[in-house]
Amino acid sequence: MKKYIIILSSVIIIIALGGIYMKHQYDERQEKNKTAESELYEKAKKRMTDYINANYEGIDKINFSNNYKMDQMGGINAEGYLNGDKSKEFWGIYDKSNNIITSSYVDAKEKPACKEKPCKY
């Protein structure tokens, strides 16, 4: 009887240690993913700033929202408002593979040279 209790206790301890190890691995993966997303969002904010400054006039200040969304293709959505006016909104989708803003909306006046085709940024 004592033999069965020792074996059962050993199995329970091994299973518990395995579960703790798996939880630790999962937490590390989640932290790496969160860090990678944060770095990608910083790149997206920089490219969106470059895009807005190159294509629109009268922009003094760009405020970004802390909320971002990843799409299935690996892009990230950057949004916010311009010149401290929350009614002057913008959003854009950053494509990390091409390092460009693929789709955007900016509530500001476009530069005349950038109306037909976006200017390089």
Side-chain angles (χ1 to χ4, degrees), residues 3 5 7 31 36 38 51 54 59 72 78 86 106 113 120-121:
K3 187 178 188 181
I5 293 174
I7 291 173
E31 187 63 34
S38 295
Y51 173 79
I59 307 300
Q72 294 95 358
K86 291 189 178 187
V106 180
K120 292 188 179 191
Y121 53 97

Side-chain angles (χ1 to χ4, degrees), residues 84-103:
D85 183 359
K86 291 189 178 187
S87 67
K88 296 269 190 189
E89 297 178 329
F90 71 86
W91 62 264
I93 299 174
Y94 173 68
D95 177 10
K96 71 177 179 179
S97 60
N98 295 317
N99 196 29
I100 60 170
I101 302 297
T102 57
S103 180

